[in-house]
Amino acid sequence: MKLKIYNSLSGEKEIFTPIHDNSIGMYVCGPTVYSNVHLGNVRTFMSFDFIYRSLVHLGYKVRYVRNITDAGHLTDDGDVNNDRFVKQSRLEKLEPMEIVQKYTVDFHKVLEVFNLLPPTIEPTATGHILEQIELTQKLIDKGFAYESNGSVYFDVLEYNSRGLNYGELSRRNIDELFANTRDLDGQSEKKNAPDFALWKSASPAHIMRWNSPWGEGFPGWHLECTAMSTKYLGERFDIHGGGMDLKFPHHECEVAQGKACNGVAPVNYWMHANMLTMNGQRMSKSTGNYILPMELVSGSNDFFEKAFHPTIVRFNFMQAHYRSVLDISNDAMVASEKGFQRLMEAMKILFNNDFPNSDVSSFDVGTWKEKCYSALTDDFNSPILIAHLFEAVNFIFKLKDNKETITENDLKDLKVLLNDFVFDVLGLQDIEENNNEKLDQTLQVLIDLRNQARQSKNFELSDQIRDRLLAEGIELKDGREGTSYSIS
Ligand code: AMP
Ligand code: ZN
């Protein structure tokens, strides 16, 4: 079955052909680590986690690069005082690199909670300043960039005059760009309004700055992704992803930088994930319309009636295609929770029961498998895949009531496939299993404390622990191997 991917560049679904046989290079723009990631950010990273998991499941070897933007991301392109890291470090009275560390740790923690796999390389912008200086120099040498007051800008008109097309990814034309570029501070340094910064000069008052051939300064945001993707994936690689809102100017600039530098389009397939909305509005820090991931998981927020386990959030996100807008709401989350519980119940029935052997299956596992893979390979259509999984779920409930039959081989296949799709590909987790693990760990702590009490002859406390657990239906049993427990 051929994999089809919607390519933002062509605006069409295309058959996916990797550059090198089975090995894929995939680059996804990472977070700007100057504040906590909101749930919208998590959706985009989860969309690409699902895509990564799917590619691996389909047999590809994936080099998955996701960067950390820890320098150079201005709130607008003109004013160096709008450096997000410098602003936040003033606000929190921390060093900019303390800000970077604090929110990188938060980012990793949050992604782990939602069961996202780490990328295979996670480079940082500050770790690649030299590469960015080299790229800037190369663009100047080739005549695509110019220096002005210690800053360096990409010359968009020059780029277009050589038969290239700035705006090809976001489908904007150059006149429109001239008309729509705001007159910002620093623009007087540019030849033309749509030109974008490769290097920004910074005064000693600006804390995050590095030496360069053009004086002290820092690299522009668009340049870091070109520098890091080229370094780890080459001048031309297979897949580049990011949220829809990054298409312009960020990704447009990456295309221009890559083509100008190396004479080839840097990316074969551009993939853009759609936005998470709340109350119909895009989730965003700047408008205040956002929820932090841990607020949803803990239940401490004003939008949802209760707390939701991270895997329910993941299931809810997976129920929408990555290219569709998803509106998160209390009702949708409650419905997802119900659906997920039914899915898990079916899995338990399937794995914990012996079904009578039958010569015939009343469920065509082969055709069902094909339908699942055709959803997965049709531009990673998770909602259709989930709909197919529920056909199997309905069958399993009937199988339990002896209303359906299955052969031994089909049963084996069904188990493997469901396990793969649910846990490996969709990245869902069995809540009960996790809870059992936690309960086990908690009881081990109590058993240790009781043993310590007994050793220090505090029998009053040790008996109290035993009796109170017993009152809750948990019996401790002392044996030669140590203490075990049983739950009634
Ligand atoms: P940032 O840290 O601002 O660069 O954003 C990190 C990622 O989150 C980018 O790929 C954005 O496109 C994405 N993003 C931002 N807001 C949303 C949203 N409301 N829904 C989905 N993705 C978003
Ligand atoms: Zn990027």
Side-chain angles (χ1 to χ4, degrees):
M1 213 173 278
K2 290 219 160 101
L3 172 62
K4 290 183 285 303
I5 294 184
Y6 180 89
N7 190 347
S8 304
L9 193 59
S10 64
E12 281 170 12
K13 266 187 216 167
E14 297 174 14
I15 303 272
F16 178 65
T17 318
I19 298 170
H20 308 286
D21 302 330
N22 243 22
S23 299
I24 300 178
M26 173 160 105
Y27 186 93
V28 173
C29 292
T32 308
V33 283
Y34 72 104
S35 68
N36 303 99
V37 278
H38 60 66
L39 197 65
N41 303 132
V42 172
R43 184 189 178 203
T44 285
F45 295 121
M46 196 186 287
S47 293
F48 287 101
D49 179 65
F50 167 63
I51 289 165
Y52 172 51
R53 285 168 175 272
S54 303
L55 290 169
V56 171
H57 179 74
L58 293 171
Y60 293 107
K61 186 173 186 309
V62 188
R63 181 177 292 172
Y64 174 23
V65 184
R66 190 186 61 212
N67 70 301
I68 297 278
T69 295
D70 58 352
H73 196 164
L74 303 179
T75 47
D76 64 52
D77 204 22
D79 187 352
V80 290
N81 293 320
N82 285 334
D83 184 317
R84 290 171 198 255
F85 299 99
V86 175
K87 266 184 156 176
Q88 193 65 25
S89 69
R90 278 200 202 111
L91 210 66
E92 296 195 34
K93 296 194 170 50
L94 292 171
E95 269 289 310
M97 284 314 274
E98 285 181 307
I99 294 291
V100 163
Q101 180 68 13
K102 178 175 171 185
Y103 294 111
T104 302
V105 168
D106 169 75
F107 172 65
H108 286 150
K109 265 197 197 147
V110 167
L111 294 201
E112 208 182 315
V113 163
F114 291 93
N115 201 25
L116 274 77
L117 298 172
T120 56
I121 304 180
E122 193 170 47
T124 62
T126 54
H128 297 76
I129 300 290
L130 275 182
E131 286 83 349
Q132 295 177 77
I133 290 175
E134 274 170 27
L135 268 185
T136 305
Q137 189 60 56
K138 199 166 166 187
L139 288 167
I140 294 176
D141 294 346
K142 290 192 165 203
F144 284 107
Y146 57 89
E147 196 227 309
S148 174
N149 278 339
S151 293
V152 181
Y153 294 96
F154 188 95
D155 192 337
V156 170
L157 274 193
E158 174 63 28
Y159 179 79
N160 274 19
S161 75
R162 299 200 201 176
L164 296 159
N165 176 16
Y166 182 76
E168 63 180 310
L169 178 65
S170 55
R171 296 192 176 76
R172 286 164 206 238
N173 71 41
I174 197 77
D175 299 331
E176 200 186 316
L177 290 174
F178 265 92
N180 293 344
T181 315
R182 282 181 300 154
D183 196 15
L184 297 167
D185 185 29
Q187 207 142 280
S188 51
E189 290 179 359
K190 299 186 195 177
K191 281 194 201 164
N192 294 294
D195 294 352
F196 56 90
L198 299 169
W199 185 266
K200 269 284 186 189
S201 149
S203 68
H206 194 92
I207 324 174
M208 291 186 100
R209 61 185 197 284
W210 292 264
N211 264 326
S212 82
W214 318 283
E216 290 200 324
F218 58 92
W221 171 42
H222 314 309
L223 193 63
E224 66 169 271
C225 288
T226 299
M228 293 185 267
S229 62
T230 313
K231 176 158 179 169
Y232 299 109
L233 300 173
E235 291 173 1
R236 189 177 177 91
F237 56 95
D238 298 293
I239 298 174
H240 192 314
M244 211 74 126
D245 57 329
L246 299 188
K247 206 190 269 186
F248 185 87
H250 187 52
H251 293 159
E252 194 69 62
C253 295
E254 278 189 56
V255 174
Q257 288 163 167
K259 280 192 169 179
C261 245
N262 305 315
V264 286
V267 176
N268 278 356
Y269 300 85
W270 279 97
M271 297 183 73
H272 288 102
N274 217 327
M275 297 289 111
L276 183 71
T277 61
M278 195 161 71
N279 301 322
Q281 296 247 315
R282 193 183 128 183
M283 202 171 275
S284 151
K285 272 266 167 88
S286 56
T287 57
N289 184 45
Y290 71 92
I291 179 165
L292 294 180
M294 299 322 281
E295 289 174 345
L296 179 55
V297 168
S298 67
S300 59
N301 64 78
D302 299 332
F303 301 99
F304 295 87
E305 280 167 15
K306 62 190 274 299
F308 291 97
H309 190 279
T311 211
I312 306 292
V313 182
R314 186 161 181 131
F315 186 61
N316 177 268
F317 284 7
M318 290 292 117
Q319 284 178 296
H321 187 239
Y322 78 91
R323 280 194 294 117
S324 308
V325 172
L326 170 64
D327 193 60
I328 190 158
S329 65
N330 193 67
D331 288 354
M333 285 301 298
V334 169
S336 291
E337 190 167 54
K338 274 207 183 112
F340 179 78
Q341 280 161 353
R342 187 167 160 82
L343 175 63
M344 284 302 116
E345 211 180 315
M347 301 274 290
K348 273 195 193 87
I349 293 170
L350 189 68
F351 282 90
N352 298 340
N353 287 286
D354 288 327
F355 299 102
N357 266 345
S358 171
D359 295 339
V360 278
S361 295
S362 49
F363 184 72
D364 186 345
V365 176
T367 307
W368 174 78
K369 174 182 174 179
E370 247 173 58
K371 285 199 292 185
C372 290
Y373 276 104
S374 115
L376 192 64
T377 54
D378 184 14
D379 194 28
F380 310 100
N381 202 320
S382 54
I384 303 277
L385 171 65
I386 290 173
H388 293 322
L389 296 186
F390 274 87
E391 287 166 24
V393 165
N394 293 338
F395 165 75
I396 292 165
F397 277 100
K398 286 191 198 146
L399 187 66
K400 182 184 147 219
D401 297 340
N402 296 321
K403 290 182 186 145
E404 304 269 5
T405 59
I406 192 159
T407 65
E408 207 179 322
N409 269 345
D410 277 354
L411 181 64
K412 221 164 61 191
D413 285 353
L414 189 60
K415 281 182 179 174
V416 169
L417 287 164
L418 266 181
N419 201 65
D420 283 358
F421 287 132
V422 172
F423 300 122
D424 294 353
V425 178
L426 291 169
L428 300 170
Q429 289 167 305
D430 187 349
I431 294 178
E432 227 173 75
E433 213 165 74
N434 276 348
N435 283 347
N436 282 345
E437 216 172 283
K438 277 271 169 294
L439 177 65
D440 184 61
Q441 286 162 355
T442 311
L443 285 172
Q444 288 307 333
V445 170
L446 284 171
I447 288 170
D448 284 351
L449 289 175
R450 175 170 166 262
N451 284 340
Q452 278 173 26
R454 282 207 297 188
Q455 270 162 20
S456 52
K457 304 208 173 349
N458 187 348
F459 296 114
E460 195 184 326
L461 180 60
S462 67
D463 288 350
Q464 202 186 347
I465 293 174
R466 188 196 56 206
D467 295 344
R468 286 186 63 180
L469 283 174
L470 193 61
E472 298 297 333
I474 301 164
E475 189 184 353
L476 298 186
K477 291 175 195 148
D478 298 313
R480 231 185 287 159
E481 313 269 278
T483 306
S484 60
Y485 64 86
S486 64
I487 303 176
S488 56

